[in-house]
Amino acid sequence: MATPARLSILDHPILALLGKLRTLPHVQQAHAHLVVSGLVRHSFPPSKLIQVLLSLPSTSSLPYAHLLLLHSPSPNLFSFNSLIRALPFPSSLLLFRGLLRSPLLLPNNYTLAFALHACCFCSSRAEGEQLRAQSLRRGLESSVFVHNVVIKMYSCLGLLQDARKVFDEMDERDLFSWNSLMAGYVGVGDVRMAREVFDDMPERDVVSWSTVIAGYVQEGSFTEAMELFREMQLAGARPNEFTLTTVLAACSNLVALEQGKWIHMYIDKAKIKMNDRLLAALIDMYSKCGDAESALRLFNSADNALKSSIRPWNAMLSGFAIHGLSEAAIQHFERMKMENIAPDKVTFVSLLNACSHGRLVDKGRLYFESMKSIHGIDPEIEHYGCMVDLLGRAGHLKEAEEFIKSMPVTPDTAIWSALLAACKIHRDTVMGDRIGKLVNNSEPENLGCQVLLANIYSSSGRWVDAKDVRKNMGITGRRKTPGCSSIELDGMFHQFFVGDRSHPQTKQIYLFLEEMYTKLKMAGYVPEIGEVLLDIDGEDRETVLSRHSEKLAIAFALMNTPPGTPIRIVKNLRVCGDCHHATKFISKVYERVIIVRDRIRFHHFEDGFCSCKDYW
DNA sequence: CTAGGGTTAG
């Protein structure tokens, strides 16, 4: 059959339309036309269709494009390259091998770069090595571009020495080379090396700064992250939405509300492009800095387009959960479903946490069941952990233990800690004893559980047993994380450890504490000395309690802020029973709102009451 | 008509 318009194929009226197609059904119609008209046998029309398909958001357009390529009688290199780039591993590499077998097409440097990039997802280096050899043979590796992909490939495989070697041997490096190497070090958790590379760079762009800042955040060095962000501004580099998302995460962790607010203002003022991650980071920052109202205001006023992403929803849900606003969390979740946002596993962690903090045992059970049956999400260990916490904390200790036995996954530290914590709350020393010993035998290095066990013993007066556990802990040679509370005052952070005497105002703080205790006792406060682990006299135990980091921080705040100012404290551990009890009295006696963020959630103390209703 | 680096909720 003769092709009627062989010479004027590019003038065919249908070709002008191909580039304008915007939906999958339209592409399918056009495809049918190409088949009927015979145009599908040429290389350009299917190539154009593939290009259009790859730009469509629909998830089925990628497999469709793949099939179109495989069925094209004369596909071009451009189509191969685009698809090798777009397909997931290992389809990408299979397509690349298919291309190598084709006698008509020779791979170019694009092809090799995309194929090398696919090797990031290989479990072994063999595939990548082979491709490198190939690119050398074809004389393609001389390009900086291909070298940079090789650096990334080695980094993805965790082979930083190899990545470094390629970098060192390059005779020409650009910003991408430096940034890829730094990202490689960050990826394997070696932020120190990343920083060294950063310091050696001849020039830096926003990605260079963001990469190291993100590295600090990932390893939990939030202060270093903030410091580098400050240096970035001094250097005159303009942060973008990536940078700010990361810096906001640092603010959240440091409870740096003032700096977080500054970033929010900066985003508006500098017209930083808002996206779902940045919005979620802002919501998270306000929540984690104790300002749940601002978080909600921001979420409610956010653009609907941004709320088609699950991130802002999850950030808000987690905010409700950590603030103990269980009913609001559940309403939020129901609203989410109404808006057709499909919940994911993160959603359920927050939702179950919210149920746990609100003692909503039945609701929690139902939601847990619905994960698999309605939403098709397999519960993971975190979700099982939430359930153990929910059941145990509400006093269903037996059920919690049975639940652990029936789990399809091996219980981890978090699960045992949740059960032990429940034993402590409900004073079940028999179960606590049994579980504690069980964990002790299988994981002797698990200090968290041993602390809990010692706590269980001492709160029931079994001093000898408590002492034994502590002695064993000493043998393992590691120390428990000390309690630490911090507070932001005029943009400066003040840290307090238990019995800390390092603060410049120590003398005044301790004097203030004595006076505070007198006032609290007059208002009816009785210390909960069962919280003290040590076998010492009652009066001394009271002294130990009075020097808990949280009380030092509150005393410092009361001394240094005007009456009526809310006090925001962040603790690295759970708040202890006595501190909780005392803080309620402090909020009443000193007429202050005190917001304490502990390791798990917030406590809002006001007028003698706490938002957790003494259930935490 | 295609390139390579950085964001990630509990």
Side-chain angles (χ1 to χ4, degrees), chain A residues 120-150:
Chain A
C120 291
F121 308 96
C122 275
S123 47
S124 81
R125 58 190 300 162
E127 195 80 43
E129 299 286 3
Q130 208 187 333
L131 279 177
R132 270 196 82 189
Q134 197 148 35
S135 56
L136 281 171
R137 246 183 291 132
R138 293 174 194 276
L140 293 171
E141 215 195 336
S142 48
S143 89
V144 187
F145 168 52
V146 175
H147 274 127
N148 289 346
V149 185
V150 174

Side-chain angles (χ1 to χ4, degrees), chain A residues 125-254:
Chain A
R125 58 190 300 162
E127 195 80 43
E129 299 286 3
Q130 208 187 333
L131 279 177
R132 270 196 82 189
Q134 197 148 35
S135 56
L136 281 171
R137 246 183 291 132
R138 293 174 194 276
L140 293 171
E141 215 195 336
S142 48
S143 89
V144 187
F145 168 52
V146 175
H147 274 127
N148 289 346
V149 185
V150 174
I151 292 178
K152 168 146 189 203
M153 182 198 72
Y154 281 133
S155 298
C156 288
L157 299 176
L159 305 165
L160 262 294
Q161 291 94 331
D162 298 88
R164 185 69 196 226
K165 192 156 175 289
V166 174
F167 178 85
D168 287 339
E169 285 170 1
M170 283 166 78
D171 38 35
E172 186 199 340
R173 301 183 191 105
D174 62 10
L175 264 170
F176 287 81
S177 325
W178 289 90
N179 289 344
S180 299
L181 185 66
M182 273 192 325
Y185 282 123
V186 167
V188 296
D190 194 344
V191 184
R192 224 195 68 245
M193 275 307 291
R195 180 60 194 256
E196 258 178 46
V197 175
F198 178 82
D199 289 336
D200 286 342
M201 287 179 81
E203 53 172 342
R204 307 176 179 111
D205 70 354
V206 59
V207 177
S208 324
W209 290 96
S210 307
T211 304
V212 186
I213 294 174
Y216 281 133
V217 170
Q218 265 171 43
E219 67 164 17
S221 307
F222 306 116
T223 314
E224 287 80 355
M226 293 307 290
E227 175 56 27
L228 195 59
F229 178 58
R230 209 179 61 89
E231 278 180 43
M232 176 180 183
Q233 288 163 285
L234 291 177
R238 190 176 182 276
N240 63 13
E241 67 273 25
F242 285 75
T243 328
L244 297 175
T245 305
T246 310
V247 174
L248 281 169
C251 292
S252 303
N253 280 286
L254 291 166

Side-chain angles (χ1 to χ4, degrees), chain A residues 361-372:
Chain A
V361 181
D362 293 334
K363 276 218 167 75
R365 281 201 199 95
L366 282 175
Y367 282 133
F368 180 78
E369 286 307 320
S370 79
M371 278 183 73
K372 180 80 185 141

